[in-house]
Amino acid sequence: MDITPQAVVLPKETDLLEQGKYGPVFPKTPACYGFTIIADVKPGRAEAIRNYGHTLAKALEADPQLLAPLKLHYLRWVLFDDDTRFMYQGIFDTDFDKYTEDAIALFTAAGVNTAFENLEGFPEDWRTNPEAFVRFVREHHCPSFIEYGEYPYVTADEIKKALRVKSALSEMLDQLQ
């Protein structure tokens, strides 16, 4: 099996992209799907975002599969400019429409809020109004123009499977010694 790193340059204009339920479907890249939003933090709410990060980390300790429906590879949250701005970056295996619907369903079913509620302009009715959630994300999305994958187009499930096979082979080899 040959794994060749790849990069893809993304178009600046999205008019020619396939249209999904919530607008242009950004193409899958060697880094999979994802988006980056940058938004202003509501005054005095930066600490609430940090606390939400701690809450999420604890929830994942209790249930490591909590975010599994989102098919995430990575999440990165950054507070910057003296905690007045927030960056959310997510890389995942599903297209934007599915990620959005899965995220709303997951948070609604779990009865939890989202850190985004601490951002200027985030819709209060996001649980029942996915279009408003999407509009917020698209308005604050900072699209990448190139994406690179060291192991291109490989899903999180494929990575986990490969690691399980590696572990099983290591265990088998250890038993042979």
Side-chain angles (χ1 to χ4, degrees):
M1 180 173 155
D2 183 32
I3 299 175
T4 305
Q6 295 180 31
V8 170
V9 176
L10 299 167
K12 184 175 182 180
E13 300 302 323
T14 60
D15 296 345
L16 299 178
L17 293 176
E18 174 188 344
Q19 295 295 304
K21 185 174 181 178
Y22 303 113
V25 175
F26 294 103
K28 185 174 186 178
T29 73
C32 296
Y33 294 99
F35 63 89
T36 301
I37 65 168
I38 296 178
D40 293 331
V41 175
K42 290 178 181 177
R45 301 301 299 163
E47 202 55 39
I49 292 173
R50 289 183 195 284
N51 289 338
Y52 188 83
H54 291 289
T55 300
L56 182 58
K58 286 179 186 173
L60 286 165
E61 284 177 19
D63 179 5
Q65 300 305 312
L66 177 69
L67 298 177
L70 300 179
K71 301 294 183 186
L72 290 162
H73 284 259
Y74 305 102
L75 285 180
R76 177 169 284 144
W77 295 3
V78 179
L79 284 164
F80 62 103
D81 288 345
D82 293 322
D83 289 353
T84 62
R85 297 182 35 116
F86 175 78
M87 180 184 84
Y88 170 96
Q89 186 174 52
I91 305 295
F92 42 89
D93 288 331
T94 64
D95 66 44
F96 178 75
D97 288 358
K98 179 150 178 46
Y99 179 86
T100 297
E101 290 173 350
D102 288 349
I104 290 171
L106 174 78
F107 284 95
T108 300
V112 296
N113 296 335
T114 172
F116 292 0
E117 291 178 357
N118 296 292
L119 303 177
E120 294 284 348
F122 189 74
E124 291 182 24
D125 64 345
W126 64 274
R127 281 188 174 93
T128 58
N129 187 354
E131 290 81 8
F133 176 89
V134 169
R135 193 169 35 259
F136 175 85
V137 170
R138 292 209 186 262
E139 287 172 357
H140 294 83
H141 177 56
C142 298
S144 54
F145 61 90
I146 186 169
E147 293 192 7
Y148 168 85
E150 182 71 20
Y151 41 92
Y153 304 102
V154 177
T155 68
D157 287 341
E158 290 171 321
I159 293 167
K160 289 186 260 186
K161 182 179 179 180
L163 291 171
R164 285 192 302 271
V165 168
K166 176 187 174 208
S167 177
L169 286 173
S170 292
E171 186 177 320
M172 182 182 72
L173 290 173
D174 287 347
Q175 289 177 4
L176 290 174
Q177 291 180 5

